[in-house]
Amino acid sequence: MVSREKKLKRELNKRAKKFMKGDTVNTKNIKDKKTKAHVRYANVLADNAATDAALHEKWLLPSTPGAIEVEGDERTWRIKQDEIMKAVDINAARKAFDLSLPTLGPYSVDFTPNGRDLLIGGRKGHVAMIRWSDYKLVTEVQLKETVRDVKFLHNGQFFACAQRKYAYIYDNRGLEVHCLKDHTEVNRLEFLNHHFLLCTVGDQGVLRYQDTTHGKIIAQHRTKLGPCDAMRQNPTNAIIHLGHSNGTVTLWSPNMGHSLVKMLCHRGPVRSLAVDMTGRYMATCGADSQVKTWDVRMYKEVHSYYSAVPAVHVDISQRGMLGVGYGGRVQIWDQALSGPKAQAPYLNHQFRRGEIVRDFAFCPYDDAIGVGHSGGFSNLIVPGAGEPNYDSMIANPFETRNQRREQEVAQLMDKLPPEMIQLDPDGIGVVRAVPKEVQKERREKALEAEMAARRDKREANLEKTRMKGKNKTSKRYRKKQANVVDDKKLRARMLAEETKQKAAKARGEGGRATGGGAEGGGAMPAQTAGAASSAPVAPKDVSAALRRFYK
Amino acid sequence: MLESESDEPEEARANGVADLSEEDDDDDEDGEEMDEEDDSEPASAEEEEEEDEEDEEDDEEEDEEDDEEDEEARAALVSDVVGVPRADKRRRLKRGITEHGREGEFALGPAVGSANETDLTDPGAPPGLSIASLMASVEGQGAAAAAIGSARRRLDRLANKKATPDAVPLPRVVNERIERKAAYETTKADIAKWQPIVKENREKPTLNFVGVERDKMHRKKTLASINTDFVPENDFEKEIMAHLKEANALTGEDVERAEDLALNELTPEEARERRARLAKMRNLLFKHEMKAKRVKAIKSKTFHRHNRKTGAMKVIDGETGEEIGDDDAALEGLDPDNSVEAKREYLRAQERMLLKHKNTSRWAKRAIKKGLAHLPGTKEAIAEQLRIGQELKRKIGIGGERGASRDDDDDEYSTDAETDSDDDAPGVVGGGAGAGDVNDRRRALAKAKLRTMQAIEEGAAGAEEEGGLFALPFMARHMKKKREEAEEEAKQLLRDIERAEREAAAGAGGSDDDEGFGGGLGDGDWGKGAEKFEETDDGVGQRRSRIVSFGGGVTAGGGGPSGNAKPKRPPREDGSDSENDGGPRELGDDVDDDDEDAAIDRNETKMKRGANRAARRAAAAGEAGDPLAAAQVPEVSGPATHPAATVTVHQSEVKELTAAAKKSGSALKARMAARASGRGAVVVTAGPKPADRKIDMAMDRDDDDDDDAKNHPASNGVADLNQRDLLSRAFAGDDVVGEFEADKNAEVTDELPKVDVPKQMPGWGGWADVQAKRGPPKWQLEAERKARATQQKALKARRDANLKHVVISERYDKKVAGFNVEHVPHGFDSKAVYEGSMRTPLGPDANTDKSFRDLTRPKVLVNAGAVIRPMTFPKGRRPKQKE
């Protein structure tokens, strides 16, 4: 009979296994006592973290994701929005609504990371910010310019718009705060939350990173692949994925002027792409009528779906649902990223005649998808799309004003430097060998610096050829200094050393070769021809005067 | 006992340990100490005494002691021996110290004694006064003997004992060393008790001083608490306090009371009025402030220019609307909820009609006539009048007029907004179109016609203005050809428009549009008038056509700005059609064999045709990335001569275009090709072969969905068996894979390690021709082979070695390297241990709150500014006792 406590403990351990990161380090063989204690403590912390996480999962994450259950021959994708609306509670039913804005152009959509605010930007310059909790209009502006993309910055206080010529930043009152004149002809915007970087790419095919805390441009990378209209970030490592017109997807960090990875995904231009929350899978759609999912860790294709009409937009929800939009239709696919290939969509929505989908985004922490189309904006209910449990320290959908302020400060305190962005998010702090070229470069640099210092000193010591005042104290001191090994001497010395080493090496090789030759029966004349003489090698401590007698 | 006690002070001085006063205070301890030291002391004490005696002899001359003193000395000695408790020890000691005079006739010193008498205690000592000799006199008397019995006993004991002289004191160095050692032992014992505590603290992951130090600090949390506890201390503060008290303004309550008293003098009405006034003032001030702030925040230069200039414009300031000045009356006739633009427009019209600001007033005329106009004030006033007049007459670039005014200067970036305003009428979604749209249509047609004619004219005019590259003969030829084509197209367009106009006038096809859409697709109710041509009015289409018009601009307008040169998109153009494809297409002729049936077969039922067309349109819209293409219901009826669907492109043409574009790497061409290839796809989707629908269209397994079915090409059953193949054929021209491979090859080669291969220099070490005949020497071949091997090895070691479609850059990221270590840090035996110790992620999004705090807690936690006091030894702990 196992006691209840033990049972619970066992269960907890089982749960904790899921949260363990890597194996426990064996401390037995560590010699250094301090290190041993340190590593042991690190082990304890790791264990505790996993157990804590397991406990949290058990008790504090009780909400289960939504789902649609069908019986018998029914298929979920046959179920229409109004049927879903009838089935769900009032609060959820409220989420299905349409904004009819037929003349203001197709809309692009964005949500804040906590899903508290919604931003829609019509192509013809209509930008509106809506509070998601009560669907209240916060701000509405007519920019009277083409708006190509809209994006919230770190919270609902500011948002960026890619307009006709430049990108702009507005605050939540709709007032223009900044005009980003460096970002010209922007097509897509992206914001890296942990790094406070606004990324833009556009017709010039230049990827720009601008820090929104101090306003400096961190990096500008020329993709050299023409105009770009597809950009997404990988939420786990803040790498930017770009889709290009030659069918490739490139991965960028602000540190490297060259793409980190370049993969050929489609035969036609890449229309849109999306990366899931775990950072493992990427979905792309191209003009070649393919929708593909990729394992970004391996850079391998997982599935390739075929759509009769090329899809214009893809997005992945927090729980890994794949949204695909084409024509006047949006399809949601569940479990289509990995595992066995999905056979049918999870949900399917056809907009009214003439409403062509342009952009959509899943609402974080909510079972909804906001679709921007030519007829305005529509919100659809997608049961099970959003993460049901939230961490108010990370993103709080019910954030109050004070919480938002606190959060903002915390975010700024936790801001990561852009240099930290790299493909492997665990790569910080690990041992990384320096390549030979870099080492050489460093050595050369150090040598150069030293030489320069010595040269400066020597030049300062060089006195003019003047007869008068030769015996001044300062002059005498300088003369003394001239005896110091200056750069010329050092260089000569190094050169001598080098030649000596080379000679020694050559001798060594030659000796070996002659030895071999002797065994073979007689020395090879050509091999010894270069040698000066057969004199013995000079011992180390021999004086300069005697050196000529040696080799 | 005697010696030891008398010598005690000296001993104390020598050791530097005991204190005189201390000795006085605690007799008991002294006694104990002496008992302990008894064994070793006597000998040394005796010796010292002897030395003392010698000293006394040396100082003979100086000694002049009184009899009385002698008496006293003797008494002291006796009392010493007898053990009578003395009243004042200190004095005794003092005497003891000074008692070193030599024994003379009058002073009997300790060294003086009869020669025959020997000291009992020390037989070897020189003869002198001894205890025995002294005691002899006391011996024998009964009462006295009884009285000193105890003392005698003590003396006897002393006498029996073998007293040894004091040892010679140790040398100073040794003595000090011993002292240090002893001191070290004590200190060590004292400090060692902290050892476990220090170790514990060292091993703690975090030293927390927060709670402890905070409790110790005296802090006042709020201003109010500081205020209430305030006590005036210095004169200044006291004086101020006194004054405040005098003025009855010591506390906030006092102040309020005083204000209330002041208000009492007013009548309630006055007070209310005053309050209201103040409130209003405050309100106004605030409003003004807010407004100023907002205006200041506006970064637009244009706005500020206007804002600065407008005297009269302020009247109808954009967002305040209600601020209407002298023209108030003039505006009264207008609808109150009319827009600002309308008001402005009204004022403008009024200004044009009236002579208000034209200096036609009597005063102005007189001033001018009399030559007063040159006077500074008058001149300015007149100028101001003129300026206001101009200002009012000018069209301000907002709202409806904006597009028109901008069109000329902003040719490169034609906005969608302006397109919208220009094409307002055709842009309206068909659902709302009623009877009035006949007029709209006419207007639109007229506009289109005008534009087209303009374009033709401009094209002709711009023909001669070529220079530079365009002046080259072949370019000129090409240009001319293009121009002619464009002209032809434009003319055709003009004809179409005219025809359409005629139809519109006849009102033939007006209402059919709505029916076509309203009645749903596939109803077969498509009249002649329902032949529609989709307008691209959306952004993507617009931008594309803009880009295309770069080429098209050359075609139509030569060197002129493309915006002007580009003819207004003809109504018969489809969303994905554009000018760059050359002349107008005869649709039926161009259709490929595959879809010829679909395109030309006019004998098919109306229903089928309608469905096909709808499907095609939807496909075209979705495919070309034109979200709006299908949304925009065309208002203009197409020519009856084009019965088939909107666009069809020859398949081979698509391929050709794509291939060509891919070959020339220009982005523009690539984009065109992409579009063209897309168009190719449109054509294929139109093929009506419902029977052979492909099953693997995973994305489209919804053909049973009845509503959607009509809209969707695939689900409609018009999907082609060959669609996939055709698609792949459409993209076959561009060798994407090959290009990528070449690209990868170049990049990888660039990243491979550079190996220096020594080369034989022709003519060195032999005759060049001989060398050439022999070929490269062996050593060179060997070096080359080695280099190849290294490169091959490096190539195989790459991460993308087995990934055909991926290039993974292996360049060294210097910036990231700042966050890495180059070697395993000291103490860690291996990389695995080091990296394993850091494997837990630290961030709050990977951990629970508790773990996050645990993982990131600093080594020392202390409040800023708090004083960390030295540790106190914990009460409960006892140091380890050593045996």
Side-chain angles (χ1 to χ4, degrees), chain B residues 797-818:
Chain B
R798 283 181 65 91
R799 283 182 65 205
D800 55 8
N802 296 323
L803 299 166
K804 209 176 169 193
H805 296 324
V806 181
V807 191
I808 302 172
S809 165
E810 296 199 337
R811 294 172 200 218
Y812 183 63
D813 193 340
K814 276 182 200 164
K815 281 182 182 165
V816 163

Side-chain angles (χ1 to χ4, degrees), chain B residues 262-301:
Chain B
L263 274 178
N264 278 345
E265 288 171 13
L266 299 170
T267 62
E269 288 82 42
E270 278 174 338
R272 213 172 294 130
E273 204 178 300
R274 182 171 168 271
R275 203 171 293 139
R277 198 171 61 239
L278 283 176
K280 195 182 175 191
M281 289 294 284
R282 220 174 292 131
N283 206 3
L284 275 175
L285 205 66
F286 177 70
K287 214 171 165 185
H288 187 75
E289 219 170 66
M290 291 311 287
K291 196 179 163 193
K293 207 185 266 175
R294 189 179 51 72
V295 167
K296 201 173 165 237
I298 294 172
K299 287 205 170 65
S300 161
K301 279 180 185 163

Side-chain angles (χ1 to χ4, degrees), chain A residues 177 262 329 354 356 427 429 442, chain B residues 299 627 631 702 743 819-820 822:
Chain A
V177 183
K262 187 180 196 180
R329 180 187 295 250
I356 301 298
R442 274 191 209 165
Chain B
K299 287 205 170 65
D702 48 2
D743 205 16
F819 296 98
N820 292 119
E822 289 173 16

Side-chain angles (χ1 to χ4, degrees), chain B residues 189-200 870-874 879:
Chain B
D190 206 27
I191 284 176
K193 69 179 179 182
W194 292 96
Q195 196 71 35
I197 297 172
V198 170
K199 186 167 177 278
E200 211 171 78
M871 277 196 292
T872 49
F873 195 75

Side-chain angles (χ1 to χ4, degrees), chain A residues 21 123 164 177 185 187 203 260 262 264 306 308 329 331 333 343 350 353-354 356 427 429 431-432 442, chain B residues 299 413 415 539 543 627 631 698-699 701-702 708 711 723 743 805 807 809 819-822 834 839:
Chain A
K21 312 275 190 323
R123 186 159 269 274
R164 187 177 62 104
V177 183
E185 295 181 21
N187 282 340
D203 280 352
L260 302 174
K262 187 180 196 180
L264 182 66
Y306 176 70
R329 180 187 295 250
Q331 286 185 344
W333 291 70
Q343 294 301 315
Q350 174 69 41
R353 174 102 190 96
I356 301 298
V431 181
R432 189 185 303 243
R442 274 191 209 165
Chain B
K299 287 205 170 65
Y413 302 98
T415 67
R543 284 178 81 202
M699 279 300 182
R701 288 181 171 268
D702 48 2
D708 305 342
N711 189 341
Q723 177 159 1
D743 205 16
H805 296 324
V807 191
S809 165
F819 296 98
N820 292 119
V821 290
E822 289 173 16
Y834 169 64
R839 69 187 190 283

